[in-house]
Amino acid sequence: MRHLIAGNWKMNGRLEDGSAIAVPLRRGADGLFVDLVICPPATLLLTLSAVLIGSPVMLGAQDCHALPHGAHTGDLSAAMLRDAGATWAILGHSERRANHGETDAMVQAKVQAARKAGLRPIVCVGETEADRAAGRQNAVVGAQLIGSLPADFEGVVAYEPVWAIGTGRTATEADVAAMHAYVRASLVRHLGLPGQTTRILYGGSVKPSNAGALLALPDVGGALVGGASLNAADFLAIAQAAHEVAAPPVAS
Ligand code: PGA
């Protein structure tokens, strides 16, 4: 299966940094059997859509408002982000859930808004360290999925254990395999048949050294990459790992 590798730049990247990363990505992405998305700050979307025109590298937003317009100072609607060149949107990232009090219901409203505007959602779920210590990871992630995804959801889910984000600590392969199997079963229960093929990304300290092993696990359909996506060589190395895991054999 073709993987999706999405880069979440978070609040990083000035104008010159954006092109410095996107130009080598544009060059390196050619011929790779992988879907690549970068999600820079919204201030860079328009510039990078010009840099990436004609390239397979796609652009995404890191959030969107649930409403199409109105008195919401500082917010951006899904249609505005689409105008600026985004075709994807990360929604319900744990940093937004923690720092902006986003609830599952709010995330679900954003998912609906994104779809309406033509943005493909990447919906994030994941347990905290305390949840895992208490053995609650399945219950927490299962509730986030049911609460955040409409029954007719079309898009991507990212499983990102909060304790692995930006910490350099990656979940073990056994933990990732178990959680992805659980997410798959929950998606099938919640969405029916489409849940069988929904792509499930793993996120949390994915880097070139661990990408190949993680991407080869069953039900891992790609990766959501934070820190390593700010370095073009590292992001391309992760894309290359995805290519090697998923590429169909070349006929001799
Ligand atoms: P990280 O971030 O790769 O830096 O751990 C992942 C994310 O927050 O999506």
Side-chain angles (χ1 to χ4, degrees), residues 90-103:
I90 298 170
L91 298 173
H93 189 280
S94 62
E95 286 153 14
R96 294 211 54 92
R97 290 177 185 264
N99 301 342
H100 298 268
E102 289 191 8
T103 62

mmCIF file with all atom_site columns, all heavy atoms in Angstrom, residues 90-103:
data_model
loop_
_atom_site.group_PDB
_atom_site.id
_atom_site.type_symbol
_atom_site.label_atom_id
_atom_site.label_alt_id
_atom_site.label_comp_id
_atom_site.label_asym_id
_atom_site.label_entity_id
_atom_site.label_seq_id
_atom_site.pdbx_PDB_ins_code
_atom_site.Cartn_x
_atom_site.Cartn_y
_atom_site.Cartn_z
_atom_site.occupancy
_atom_site.B_iso_or_equiv
_atom_site.pdbx_formal_charge
_atom_site.auth_seq_id
_atom_site.auth_comp_id
_atom_site.auth_asym_id
_atom_site.auth_atom_id
_atom_site.pdbx_PDB_model_num
ATOM 1   N N   . ILE A 1 90  ? -4.522  19.039 9.152  1.00 0.00 ? 90  ILE A N   1
ATOM 2   C CA  . ILE A 1 90  ? -4.371  18.298 10.414 1.00 0.00 ? 90  ILE A CA  1
ATOM 3   C C   . ILE A 1 90  ? -5.432  18.858 11.367 1.00 0.00 ? 90  ILE A C   1
ATOM 4   O O   . ILE A 1 90  ? -5.547  20.079 11.516 1.00 0.00 ? 90  ILE A O   1
ATOM 5   C CB  . ILE A 1 90  ? -2.964  18.530 11.016 1.00 0.00 ? 90  ILE A CB  1
ATOM 6   C CG1 . ILE A 1 90  ? -1.872  18.022 10.078 1.00 0.00 ? 90  ILE A CG1 1
ATOM 7   C CG2 . ILE A 1 90  ? -2.853  17.879 12.389 1.00 0.00 ? 90  ILE A CG2 1
ATOM 8   C CD1 . ILE A 1 90  ? -0.455  18.447 10.501 1.00 0.00 ? 90  ILE A CD1 1
ATOM 9   N N   . LEU A 1 91  ? -6.205  17.982 11.980 1.00 0.00 ? 91  LEU A N   1
ATOM 10  C CA  . LEU A 1 91  ? -7.248  18.450 12.898 1.00 0.00 ? 91  LEU A CA  1
ATOM 11  C C   . LEU A 1 91  ? -7.161  17.679 14.214 1.00 0.00 ? 91  LEU A C   1
ATOM 12  O O   . LEU A 1 91  ? -6.875  16.478 14.228 1.00 0.00 ? 91  LEU A O   1
ATOM 13  C CB  . LEU A 1 91  ? -8.633  18.257 12.261 1.00 0.00 ? 91  LEU A CB  1
ATOM 14  C CG  . LEU A 1 91  ? -8.851  19.064 10.960 1.00 0.00 ? 91  LEU A CG  1
ATOM 15  C CD1 . LEU A 1 91  ? -10.179 18.696 10.308 1.00 0.00 ? 91  LEU A CD1 1
ATOM 16  C CD2 . LEU A 1 91  ? -8.774  20.569 11.222 1.00 0.00 ? 91  LEU A CD2 1
ATOM 17  N N   . GLY A 1 92  ? -7.384  18.382 15.315 1.00 0.00 ? 92  GLY A N   1
ATOM 18  C CA  . GLY A 1 92  ? -7.386  17.740 16.624 1.00 0.00 ? 92  GLY A CA  1
ATOM 19  C C   . GLY A 1 92  ? -6.022  17.256 17.078 1.00 0.00 ? 92  GLY A C   1
ATOM 20  O O   . GLY A 1 92  ? -5.914  16.300 17.864 1.00 0.00 ? 92  GLY A O   1
ATOM 21  N N   . HIS A 1 93  ? -4.960  17.934 16.624 1.00 0.00 ? 93  HIS A N   1
ATOM 22  C CA  . HIS A 1 93  ? -3.623  17.577 17.121 1.00 0.00 ? 93  HIS A CA  1
ATOM 23  C C   . HIS A 1 93  ? -3.613  17.726 18.644 1.00 0.00 ? 93  HIS A C   1
ATOM 24  O O   . HIS A 1 93  ? -4.268  18.609 19.199 1.00 0.00 ? 93  HIS A O   1
ATOM 25  C CB  . HIS A 1 93  ? -2.567  18.491 16.478 1.00 0.00 ? 93  HIS A CB  1
ATOM 26  C CG  . HIS A 1 93  ? -1.170  18.050 16.783 1.00 0.00 ? 93  HIS A CG  1
ATOM 27  N ND1 . HIS A 1 93  ? -0.557  18.337 17.985 1.00 0.00 ? 93  HIS A ND1 1
ATOM 28  C CD2 . HIS A 1 93  ? -0.281  17.334 16.064 1.00 0.00 ? 93  HIS A CD2 1
ATOM 29  C CE1 . HIS A 1 93  ? 0.656   17.801 17.970 1.00 0.00 ? 93  HIS A CE1 1
ATOM 30  N NE2 . HIS A 1 93  ? 0.840   17.180 16.820 1.00 0.00 ? 93  HIS A NE2 1
ATOM 31  N N   . SER A 1 94  ? -2.834  16.886 19.313 1.00 0.00 ? 94  SER A N   1
ATOM 32  C CA  . SER A 1 94  ? -2.864  16.906 20.789 1.00 0.00 ? 94  SER A CA  1
ATOM 33  C C   . SER A 1 94  ? -2.441  18.263 21.339 1.00 0.00 ? 94  SER A C   1
ATOM 34  O O   . SER A 1 94  ? -2.885  18.667 22.414 1.00 0.00 ? 94  SER A O   1
ATOM 35  C CB  . SER A 1 94  ? -1.989  15.796 21.358 1.00 0.00 ? 94  SER A CB  1
ATOM 36  O OG  . SER A 1 94  ? -0.645  15.994 20.977 1.00 0.00 ? 94  SER A OG  1
ATOM 37  N N   . GLU A 1 95  ? -1.576  18.997 20.600 1.00 0.00 ? 95  GLU A N   1
ATOM 38  C CA  . GLU A 1 95  ? -1.181  20.321 21.087 1.00 0.00 ? 95  GLU A CA  1
ATOM 39  C C   . GLU A 1 95  ? -2.366  21.284 21.033 1.00 0.00 ? 95  GLU A C   1
ATOM 40  O O   . GLU A 1 95  ? -2.502  22.174 21.878 1.00 0.00 ? 95  GLU A O   1
ATOM 41  C CB  . GLU A 1 95  ? 0.025   20.835 20.284 1.00 0.00 ? 95  GLU A CB  1
ATOM 42  C CG  . GLU A 1 95  ? 1.294   20.103 20.698 1.00 0.00 ? 95  GLU A CG  1
ATOM 43  C CD  . GLU A 1 95  ? 2.372   20.015 19.633 1.00 0.00 ? 95  GLU A CD  1
ATOM 44  O OE1 . GLU A 1 95  ? 2.296   20.738 18.618 1.00 0.00 ? 95  GLU A OE1 1
ATOM 45  O OE2 . GLU A 1 95  ? 3.304   19.209 19.824 1.00 0.00 ? 95  GLU A OE2 1
ATOM 46  N N   . ARG A 1 96  ? -3.251  21.133 20.060 1.00 0.00 ? 96  ARG A N   1
ATOM 47  C CA  . ARG A 1 96  ? -4.438  21.982 19.996 1.00 0.00 ? 96  ARG A CA  1
ATOM 48  C C   . ARG A 1 96  ? -5.466  21.519 21.035 1.00 0.00 ? 96  ARG A C   1
ATOM 49  O O   . ARG A 1 96  ? -6.135  22.331 21.663 1.00 0.00 ? 96  ARG A O   1
ATOM 50  C CB  . ARG A 1 96  ? -5.044  21.979 18.593 1.00 0.00 ? 96  ARG A CB  1
ATOM 51  C CG  . ARG A 1 96  ? -4.107  22.631 17.579 1.00 0.00 ? 96  ARG A CG  1
ATOM 52  C CD  . ARG A 1 96  ? -4.834  23.314 16.463 1.00 0.00 ? 96  ARG A CD  1
ATOM 53  N NE  . ARG A 1 96  ? -5.803  24.271 16.936 1.00 0.00 ? 96  ARG A NE  1
ATOM 54  C CZ  . ARG A 1 96  ? -5.554  25.583 17.125 1.00 0.00 ? 96  ARG A CZ  1
ATOM 55  N NH1 . ARG A 1 96  ? -4.362  26.085 16.897 1.00 0.00 ? 96  ARG A NH1 1
ATOM 56  N NH2 . ARG A 1 96  ? -6.512  26.384 17.537 1.00 0.00 ? 96  ARG A NH2 1
ATOM 57  N N   . ARG A 1 97  ? -5.561  20.207 21.223 1.00 0.00 ? 97  ARG A N   1
ATOM 58  C CA  . ARG A 1 97  ? -6.491  19.726 22.253 1.00 0.00 ? 97  ARG A CA  1
ATOM 59  C C   . ARG A 1 97  ? -6.052  20.243 23.623 1.00 0.00 ? 97  ARG A C   1
ATOM 60  O O   . ARG A 1 97  ? -6.870  20.685 24.430 1.00 0.00 ? 97  ARG A O   1
ATOM 61  C CB  . ARG A 1 97  ? -6.528  18.188 22.257 1.00 0.00 ? 97  ARG A CB  1
ATOM 62  C CG  . ARG A 1 97  ? -7.211  17.569 21.021 1.00 0.00 ? 97  ARG A CG  1
ATOM 63  C CD  . ARG A 1 97  ? -7.136  16.050 21.074 1.00 0.00 ? 97  ARG A CD  1
ATOM 64  N NE  . ARG A 1 97  ? -7.649  15.377 19.890 1.00 0.00 ? 97  ARG A NE  1
ATOM 65  C CZ  . ARG A 1 97  ? -8.878  14.889 19.748 1.00 0.00 ? 97  ARG A CZ  1
ATOM 66  N NH1 . ARG A 1 97  ? -9.741  14.988 20.728 1.00 0.00 ? 97  ARG A NH1 1
ATOM 67  N NH2 . ARG A 1 97  ? -9.237  14.267 18.642 1.00 0.00 ? 97  ARG A NH2 1
ATOM 68  N N   . ALA A 1 98  ? -4.715  20.227 23.889 1.00 0.00 ? 98  ALA A N   1
ATOM 69  C CA  . ALA A 1 98  ? -4.208  20.635 25.203 1.00 0.00 ? 98  ALA A CA  1
ATOM 70  C C   . ALA A 1 98  ? -4.145  22.163 25.345 1.00 0.00 ? 98  ALA A C   1
ATOM 71  O O   . ALA A 1 98  ? -4.541  22.718 26.368 1.00 0.00 ? 98  ALA A O   1
ATOM 72  C CB  . ALA A 1 98  ? -2.823  20.035 25.435 1.00 0.00 ? 98  ALA A CB  1
ATOM 73  N N   . ASN A 1 99  ? -3.656  22.856 24.310 1.00 0.00 ? 99  ASN A N   1
ATOM 74  C CA  . ASN A 1 99  ? -3.402  24.305 24.455 1.00 0.00 ? 99  ASN A CA  1
ATOM 75  C C   . ASN A 1 99  ? -4.618  25.158 24.138 1.00 0.00 ? 99  ASN A C   1
ATOM 76  O O   . ASN A 1 99  ? -4.671  26.318 24.515 1.00 0.00 ? 99  ASN A O   1
ATOM 77  C CB  . ASN A 1 99  ? -2.263  24.752 23.519 1.00 0.00 ? 99  ASN A CB  1
ATOM 78  C CG  . ASN A 1 99  ? -0.971  24.003 23.789 1.00 0.00 ? 99  ASN A CG  1
ATOM 79  O OD1 . ASN A 1 99  ? -0.809  23.415 24.848 1.00 0.00 ? 99  ASN A OD1 1
ATOM 80  N ND2 . ASN A 1 99  ? -0.067  24.016 22.834 1.00 0.00 ? 99  ASN A ND2 1
ATOM 81  N N   . HIS A 1 100 ? -5.557  24.617 23.379 1.00 0.00 ? 100 HIS A N   1
ATOM 82  C CA  . HIS A 1 100 ? -6.716  25.411 22.965 1.00 0.00 ? 100 HIS A CA  1
ATOM 83  C C   . HIS A 1 100 ? -8.027  24.760 23.404 1.00 0.00 ? 100 HIS A C   1
ATOM 84  O O   . HIS A 1 100 ? -9.095  25.157 22.941 1.00 0.00 ? 100 HIS A O   1
ATOM 85  C CB  . HIS A 1 100 ? -6.712  25.610 21.443 1.00 0.00 ? 100 HIS A CB  1
ATOM 86  C CG  . HIS A 1 100 ? -5.509  26.376 20.959 1.00 0.00 ? 100 HIS A CG  1
ATOM 87  N ND1 . HIS A 1 100 ? -5.510  27.737 20.810 1.00 0.00 ? 100 HIS A ND1 1
ATOM 88  C CD2 . HIS A 1 100 ? -4.259  25.965 20.652 1.00 0.00 ? 100 HIS A CD2 1
ATOM 89  C CE1 . HIS A 1 100 ? -4.300  28.131 20.397 1.00 0.00 ? 100 HIS A CE1 1
ATOM 90  N NE2 . HIS A 1 100 ? -3.528  27.072 20.294 1.00 0.00 ? 100 HIS A NE2 1
ATOM 91  N N   . GLY A 1 101 ? -7.933  23.760 24.258 1.00 0.00 ? 101 GLY A N   1
ATOM 92  C CA  . GLY A 1 101 ? -9.144  23.146 24.818 1.00 0.00 ? 101 GLY A CA  1
ATOM 93  C C   . GLY A 1 101 ? -10.055 22.527 23.772 1.00 0.00 ? 101 GLY A C   1
ATOM 94  O O   . GLY A 1 101 ? -11.278 22.506 23.938 1.00 0.00 ? 101 GLY A O   1
ATOM 95  N N   . GLU A 1 102 ? -9.489  22.024 22.685 1.00 0.00 ? 102 GLU A N   1
ATOM 96  C CA  . GLU A 1 102 ? -10.355 21.438 21.657 1.00 0.00 ? 102 GLU A CA  1
ATOM 97  C C   . GLU A 1 102 ? -10.923 20.098 22.126 1.00 0.00 ? 102 GLU A C   1
ATOM 98  O O   . GLU A 1 102 ? -10.179 19.205 22.522 1.00 0.00 ? 102 GLU A O   1
ATOM 99  C CB  . GLU A 1 102 ? -9.568  21.242 20.349 1.00 0.00 ? 102 GLU A CB  1
ATOM 100 C CG  . GLU A 1 102 ? -9.263  22.559 19.665 1.00 0.00 ? 102 GLU A CG  1
ATOM 101 C CD  . GLU A 1 102 ? -8.731  22.402 18.247 1.00 0.00 ? 102 GLU A CD  1
ATOM 102 O OE1 . GLU A 1 102 ? -8.732  21.279 17.702 1.00 0.00 ? 102 GLU A OE1 1
ATOM 103 O OE2 . GLU A 1 102 ? -8.304  23.423 17.688 1.00 0.00 ? 102 GLU A OE2 1
ATOM 104 N N   . THR A 1 103 ? -12.228 20.002 22.063 1.00 0.00 ? 103 THR A N   1
ATOM 105 C CA  . THR A 1 103 ? -12.901 18.762 22.450 1.00 0.00 ? 103 THR A CA  1
ATOM 106 C C   . THR A 1 103 ? -13.138 17.902 21.208 1.00 0.00 ? 103 THR A C   1
ATOM 107 O O   . THR A 1 103 ? -13.028 18.381 20.081 1.00 0.00 ? 103 THR A O   1
ATOM 108 C CB  . THR A 1 103 ? -14.275 19.070 23.073 1.00 0.00 ? 103 THR A CB  1
ATOM 109 O OG1 . THR A 1 103 ? -15.063 19.716 22.060 1.00 0.00 ? 103 THR A OG1 1
ATOM 110 C CG2 . THR A 1 103 ? -14.138 19.988 24.285 1.00 0.00 ? 103 THR A CG2 1
#
